[in-house]
């Protein structure tokens, strides 16, 4: 056994629907601009580029029902409702026709974003890390095994205090789940425990203290968080 000079940090995990067992999280990949309408609302042409990715640390993940403080260093915290894909089998240069065999399960999620910091980073041509990879920035609802549900289809919806803010069909994604996995695996060997946040529809907006924000996807448990007051 390897001797460590410090205690090893705990492994981040997310809930599994209908089970007391939890899914260990290794890395979190997020797809940018994967819904055409969302790309256009930020002034981008969705037909010009392949998918691109940014990352969050694994320990940024939080469970459904989390109550979190309003993050520091921002005055413009945004919600982004997303389908989350949990990888259960490693692979590199995966053929698109085989990509779904690497999926362990699916969940509803929310890619929280410090939008003002992201805009500053874009203006200065700097990385997005502080805008995307901050503490408690990756909400993930309970995972449902792919073998129990097949491939998710239907609607994705995000609400704030019961009011719908984002609504689309998963079929509206520019790159579907298999395409995202195949493309990502050309550059990085994916591993069991990786999560992929597959992009958000149009309608992103700000959250304030006291807001309750819920992502709902047909066939999956909802993923809800509350921004604490004060």
């Amino acid at each position: 056994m390897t001797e460590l000079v410090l205690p090893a940090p705990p492994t981040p995990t997310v809930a599994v629907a209908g089970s007391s067992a939890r899914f260990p999280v290794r890395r979190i990949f997020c797809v940018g601009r994967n819904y055409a309408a969302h790309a256009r609302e930020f002034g981008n042409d969705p037909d010009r580029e392949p998918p691109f990715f940014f990352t969050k640390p694994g320990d940024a993940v939080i469970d459904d029902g989390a109550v979190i403080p309003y993050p520091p260093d921002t005055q413009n915290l945004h919600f982004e409702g997303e389908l989350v894909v949990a990888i259960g089998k490693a692979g590199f240069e995966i053929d698109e026709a085989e990509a779904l065999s690497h999926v362990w399960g699916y969940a509803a999620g929310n890619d929280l974003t410090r939008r003002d910091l992201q805009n500053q980073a874009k203006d200065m041509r700097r990385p997005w890390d502080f805008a995307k990879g901050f503490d408690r920035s990756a909400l993930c609802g309970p995972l449902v095994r792919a073998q129990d549900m097949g491939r998710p289809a239907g609607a994705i919806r995000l609400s704030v205090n019961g009011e719908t803010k984002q609504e689309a069909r998963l079929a509206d994604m520019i790159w579907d789940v298999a395409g995202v996995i195949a493309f990502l695996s050309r550059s990085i060997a994916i591993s069991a425990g990786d999560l992929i946040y597959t992009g958000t529809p149009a309608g992103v907006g700000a959250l304030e203290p006291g807001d309750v924000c819920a992502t709902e996807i047909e066939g999956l448990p909802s993923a809800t968080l509350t921004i604490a007051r004060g």
Side-chain angles (χ1 to χ4, degrees):
M1 179 180 292
T2 301
E3 182 180 0
L4 303 177
V5 299
L6 294 173
T11 300
T13 63
V14 294
V16 175
S19 174
S20 60
R22 294 179 64 87
F23 183 89
V25 176
R26 184 170 183 266
R27 297 174 294 188
I28 300 175
F29 299 98
C30 304
V31 185
R33 302 174 194 156
N34 201 25
Y35 287 80
H38 174 60
R40 292 189 184 98
E41 76 178 343
F42 280 81
N44 300 293
D45 184 344
D47 299 321
R48 287 188 177 178
E49 59 184 20
F52 70 93
F53 297 83
F54 55 91
T55 62
K56 293 175 181 273
D59 62 5
V61 76
I62 53 174
D63 277 335
D64 170 54
V67 179
I68 66 171
Y70 195 91
D73 295 332
T74 184
Q75 285 76 49
N76 196 17
L77 174 68
H78 273 209
F79 55 79
E80 296 190 8
E82 311 204 4
L83 172 69
V84 182
V85 177
I87 298 299
K89 183 174 70 172
F92 179 62
E93 294 185 341
I94 299 166
D95 187 271
E96 189 168 339
E98 300 297 324
L100 295 184
S101 70
H102 293 259
V103 175
W104 190 91
Y106 300 95
N110 195 335
D111 163 24
L112 295 176
T113 302
R114 296 194 281 199
R115 189 71 70 199
D116 43 2
L117 297 191
Q118 185 187 36
N119 290 338
Q120 290 173 17
K122 288 178 179 179
D123 290 343
M124 301 178 75
R125 298 184 178 181
R126 291 179 175 175
W128 291 5
D129 298 58
F130 276 24
K132 289 288 193 176
F134 55 98
D135 296 338
R136 298 174 290 272
S137 62
L139 173 67
C140 185
L143 287 164
V144 175
R145 291 177 66 99
Q147 67 183 32
D148 295 334
M149 68 171 297
R151 184 165 58 179
I156 177 171
R157 174 180 177 269
L158 180 140
S159 63
V160 178
N161 303 325
E163 180 182 351
T164 298
K165 298 293 186 179
Q166 294 180 279
E167 191 164 21
R169 307 288 294 179
L170 294 176
D172 294 337
M173 287 195 292
I174 299 169
W175 291 76
D176 65 9
V177 171
V180 165
I181 292 171
F183 190 92
L184 175 62
S185 74
R186 295 176 199 166
S187 295
I188 294 176
I190 62 170
S191 299
D194 290 342
L195 298 180
I196 303 174
Y197 283 61
T198 57
T200 195
V204 298
L207 291 169
E208 302 293 341
D211 283 347
V212 178
C213 184
T215 306
E216 299 172 290
I217 297 175
E218 288 184 27
L220 294 172
S222 62
T224 301
L225 64 82
T226 299
I227 307 298
R229 296 184 183 275

